[in-house]
């Protein structure tokens, strides 16, 4: 290495170390969702990637958008600003959305939060932004900011939003919401309030001073805007004082408009039923100024803000500023030449980008390290390096031989450096950087010539062995390492993790190489997370993150169970024991029973020969002579041949549009002993919707349940059943249910019982109810789960047989009472319950029951599916009565009480 290159390499190392100290925004991107092919083309190597990066090289512009949930963000705005204008953007979602519904699977709460986090990552991969969160847990729908901020301690939530602003340092903060009741959802209102207050607080060193260490400093954004909320309207009229952002213009690099790309990002929110079209043509988004620290703030998104790199030299002494400015002007000129010379062959701009990097290095030599300008130059250098590698066709990839590893395993890793373009690449150095103290060693190298070059078109391969320590942490999401503090996650001491979507990869590959142009050579660095690349015979190549999982995992099935208080029979608990260790595992599994219960056998052996082996072990569980109502816990513990104990299992949250993650749970079966009865030999057909635990809940109450597939539903083959239950959102999720609606009603007309639970607008708008029924949009709901419930007809069979239902049965409900309450209904229905949120009129549309021919039809908008997961006793008892309805008894009661009630006015 020549002295000049050696000095420049040292300077590069200094700049790169400044780029990723404590600041989590600088250190980690979004997490690279490998399943999104479009995102790979936008941010990888080649013409499109190079062109999009060129837009980001000149100037310093950052925009932070703040909302409450996944899918609140204005994706069109973000895409146009990031991909079109080349500004850095980020979306701060207060929550991960675990309180929402789930169209694509059974996951709720923490599992749904993992899915929706991944969906935000997938959207950001497309629109080019970053994604961050606060500690707030989505506890469910709230109608006021006051209620919301009784769950989320306001000062702690504000602390997190201030942290996001100080670490990202946005020039413009864009609030999705106003912070007023017009926002609707109380979480939305709280997000608007937090945006406004954090805008004022983030630049004040007296506020949250404990944050101000390392490279974290007070930061006062120049503007606070609020979106004008016309995200999807074509040709919407402008609002007075609005800053308009065109999002419908054709972008030749994207091959479509920002809006069209944004709608692909919007469609990543699959769990929330957000799939949408990508229409062409003029569109616009926009925002209005709420507050500003600069003049002429309303004239444009960055009006009044000096976004030039040269502008950052103003605080420096005159001679230093002048020297830095000269180099920065050279950088700007080189970037301009690169843009002007950009073509289908981005290799033509390699010389310009090498000169731009050299100018940045020269500017950095004039600037004191640790200053704001030094950080900006380091970050700009990182972007310019990415642009150079994209233009030069240099690709760096790190691949592990396994997608799942266990503590104590040695795993082979290949680092691939492909000089796919025509540039000269020499002196490559490749290393692996584990996050923890894992041992790595290089065991092979191919493709580098004797004089240290990778010829044009050649592929160089470094082979490593990585030893995962015996005490290595499993891939547990950082925000789930500890129990939540109520509705707030607990963050670890490591501040670099705060607000990230997920943990960074355990192993990162680093490639440092020299790219030579005709005007000189520069030393660049690129990093890549280790990934597993596999091939599916049906779908082709796929990419997965590498996960560290336990050598032995233990899960119980069911994980929760309702046990009728009078039930003395024996039931089975199944313990699944699995190993991910290559050499397998063997040992014993014990199912520990609470006092007064018997388990047989209490211990069983397992012998698992290889990785991926699993065995299910059955245990008979019998209650003692006296079993009191309440919760009991059975715990499974596996002990392997080394004496190590394992007491938890995991589930993989693995959908093809998001990055896979492991969700860990203790190996427990929680049994709720409930005073509940159902008629003997009751036969229930369950038509599953989006996924819920209703069928299992009914089975645990003592009824026979059969899940009905598409063919049987379409055929109307229901003669074997006394009751049909429609699962959550069945009319939305299953075309066969919509097609077979008449058969379902015929079942009721012939004397059967139909319980239709928690279906939304597709049901009411489609006219699928046996009598007139409508649901307002937005639907009436009761979101406060502790609100009193009035039983309107205490002597109706719904509340007397076989279980006497009283006010105590509505205690302990979680998240909400219900949603999609009927707003108007035919006189044939009888409303059974009355409830309301504070300050609202009484709602009677949560439970409607009607005769249909010789049978009975119940519309149940109560959130039973949320109660199953928490084993709420009263929910079991009320649902048991619904499925136990006797049509004759119902008609007799209706006759005695002189017919139905009129719908509310």
């Amino acid at each position: 290495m020549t002295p000049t290159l050696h000095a420049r390499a040292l300077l590069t190392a200094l700049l790169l170390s400044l780029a990723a100290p404590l600041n989590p925004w600088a250190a980690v991107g979004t997490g690279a969702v490998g399943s999104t092919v479009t995102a790979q083309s936008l941010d990888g190597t080649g013409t499109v990637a190079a062109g999009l990066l060129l837009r980001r090289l000149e100037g310093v512009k950052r925009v932070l958008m703040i909302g409450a949930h996944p899918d609140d963000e204005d994706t069109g705005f973000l895409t146009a600003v990031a991909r079109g204008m080349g500004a850095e953007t980020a979306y701060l979602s207060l929550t991960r959305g675990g309180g929402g519904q789930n169209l694509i699977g059974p996951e709720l709460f923490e599992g749904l939060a993992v899915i929706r986090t991944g969906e935000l990552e997938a959207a950001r991969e497309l629109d080019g932004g970053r994604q961050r969160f606060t500690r707030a847990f989505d506890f469910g729908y709230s109608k006021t900011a006051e209620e919301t901020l009784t769950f989320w301690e306001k000062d702690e939530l504000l602390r997190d939003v201030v942290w996001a602003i100080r670490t990202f340092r946005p020039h413009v903060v864009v609030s999705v919401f106003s912070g007023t009741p017009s926002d609707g959802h109380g979480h939305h209102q709280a997000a608007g309030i937090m945006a406004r207050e954090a805008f004022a607080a983030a630049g004040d060193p007296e506020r949250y001073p404990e944050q101000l260490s390392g490279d974290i400093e007070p930061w006062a954004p120049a503007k606070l805007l609020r979106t004008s909320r016309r995200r999807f309207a074509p040709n919407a009229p402008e609002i007075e004082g609005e800053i308009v952002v065109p999002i419908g213009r054709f972008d030749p690099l994207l091959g479509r408009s920002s809006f069209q790309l944004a709608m692909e990002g919007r469609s990543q929110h699959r769990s929330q039923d957000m799939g949408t079209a990508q229409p062409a043509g003029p569109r616009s988004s926009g925002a209005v100024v709420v507050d500003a620290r600069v003049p002429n703030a309303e004239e444009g998104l960055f009006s009044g803000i000096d976004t030039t790199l040269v502008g950052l030299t103003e605080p420096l002494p005159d001679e230093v500023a002048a020297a830095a400015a000269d180099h920065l002007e050279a950088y700007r000129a080189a970037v301009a030449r690169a843009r002007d010379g950009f073509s289908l062959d981005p290799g033509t701009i390699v010389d310009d980008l090498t000169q731009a990097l050299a100018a940045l290095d020269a500017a950095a030599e004039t600037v004191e390290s640790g200053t704001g300008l030094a950080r900006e130059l380091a970050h700009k250098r990182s972007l310019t390096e990415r642009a150079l590698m994209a233009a030069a066709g240099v690709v760096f990839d790190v691949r592990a031989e396994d997608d799942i590893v266990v503590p104590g395993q040695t795993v082979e890793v290949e680092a691939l450096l492909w000089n796919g373009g025509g540039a000269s690449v020499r002196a490559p150095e490749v290393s692996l950087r584990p996050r923890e103290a894992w041992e790595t060693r290089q065991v092979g190298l191919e493709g580098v010539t004797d004089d240290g070059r990778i010829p044009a078109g050649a592929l160089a391969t470094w082979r490593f062995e990585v030893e995962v320590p015996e005490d290595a942490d499993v891939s547990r999401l950082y925000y789930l390492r500890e129990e939540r503090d109520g509705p707030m996650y607990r963050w670890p001491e490591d501040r670099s993790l705060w607000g990230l979507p997920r943990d960074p990869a355990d192993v990162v590959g680093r490639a440092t190489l020299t790219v030579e142009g005709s005007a000189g050579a520069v030393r660049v660095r690129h990093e890549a997370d280790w990934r597993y690349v596999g091939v599916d015979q049906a779908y082709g190549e796929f990419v997965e993150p590498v996960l560290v999982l336990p050598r032995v995992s233990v899960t119980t099935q069911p994980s929760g169970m309702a046990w009728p208080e009078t039930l003395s029979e024996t039931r089975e608990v199944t313990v699944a024991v699995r190993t991910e260790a290559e050499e397998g595992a063997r040992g014993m599994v014990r199912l520990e029973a609470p006092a007064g219960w018997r388990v047989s056998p209490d211990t069983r052996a397992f012998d698992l020969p290889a990785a991926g082996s699993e065995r299910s072990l059955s245990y008979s569980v019998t209650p003692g002579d006296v079993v009191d109502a309440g919760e009991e816990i059975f715990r499974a513990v596996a002990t392997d041949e080394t004496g190590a104990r394992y007491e938890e299992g995991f589930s993989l949250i693995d959908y093809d549009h998001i990055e896979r993650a492991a969700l860990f749970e203790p190996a427990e079966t929680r049994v709720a002993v409930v005073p509940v009865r159902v008629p003997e030999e009751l036969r229930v057909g369950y038509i599953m919707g989006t996924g819920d635990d209703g069928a299992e809940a009914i089975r645990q109450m003592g009824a026979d349940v059969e899940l009905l597939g598409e063919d049987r539903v379409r055929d109307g083959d229901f003669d074997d059943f006394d009751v049909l239950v429609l699962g959550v959102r069945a009319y939305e999720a299953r075309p066969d249910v919509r097609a077979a609606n008449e058969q379902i009603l015929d079942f009721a007309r012939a004397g059967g019982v139909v319980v239709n639970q928690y279906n939304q607008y597709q049901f009411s708008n489609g006219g699928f109810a046996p009598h007139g029924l409508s649901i307002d949009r937005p639907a009436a709901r009761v979101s406060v789960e502790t609100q009193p419930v009035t039983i309107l007809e205490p002597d109706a069979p719904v509340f007397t047989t076989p279980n006497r239902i009283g006010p105590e049965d509505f205690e302990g409900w979680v998240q909400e009472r219900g949603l999609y309450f009927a707003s108007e209904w035919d006189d044939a229905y009888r409303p059974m319950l009355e409830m309301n949120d504070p300050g609202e009129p009484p709602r009677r549309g949560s439970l409607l029951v009607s005769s249909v021919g010789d049978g009975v039809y119940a519309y149940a908008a109560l959130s039973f599916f949320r109660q199953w997961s928490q084993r709420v006793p009263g929910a079991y008892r009320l649902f048991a009565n619904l499925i136990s309805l006797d049509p004759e008894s119902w008609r007799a009661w209706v006759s005695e009480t002189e017919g139905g009630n009129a719908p509310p006015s």
Side-chain angles (χ1 to χ4, degrees), residues 882-902:
L882 288 174
I883 62 175
S884 302
L885 277 171
D886 173 62
E888 265 188 48
S889 299
W890 172 261
R891 287 196 302 274
W893 176 80
V894 170
S895 178
E896 290 171 6
T897 53
E898 301 180 345
N901 291 7

Side-chain angles (χ1 to χ4, degrees), residues 4 32 112 178 186 210 224 255 306 337 491 556 610 616 628 658 666 672 714 810:
T4 302
L112 180 56
S178 65
E210 75 284 352
L224 173 63
D306 186 349
R337 289 194 301 273
W491 281 350
T556 60
S616 294
D628 295 327
I658 63 173
R714 287 186 183 275
F810 293 94

Side-chain angles (χ1 to χ4, degrees), residues 177-232:
F177 301 107
S178 65
T180 67
S182 66
D183 296 327
H185 199 319
H187 296 182
H188 296 169
Q189 299 175 44
I193 293 169
M194 290 298 104
R196 188 170 60 245
E197 295 195 10
F199 178 80
D204 183 354
E206 300 299 318
R207 303 294 299 274
Y208 313 113
E210 75 284 352
Q211 295 180 351
L212 304 176
S213 62
D215 68 341
I216 308 302
E217 299 173 345
W219 181 265
K223 299 183 188 182
L224 173 63
L225 310 181
R226 176 178 50 80
T227 58
S228 49
R229 302 214 187 159
R230 50 170 173 151
R231 289 178 281 178
F232 308 112

Side-chain angles (χ1 to χ4, degrees), residues 526-560:
H526 190 71
E527 293 187 346
D529 296 344
W530 70 341
R531 296 272 160 163
Y532 173 77
V533 179
V535 176
D536 183 279
Q537 293 295 313
Y539 297 99
E541 184 171 287
F542 65 90
V543 180
E544 295 283 12
V546 180
L547 298 179
V548 181
L549 298 177
R551 293 173 59 83
V552 176
S553 60
V554 190
T555 57
T556 60
Q557 182 63 35
S559 58

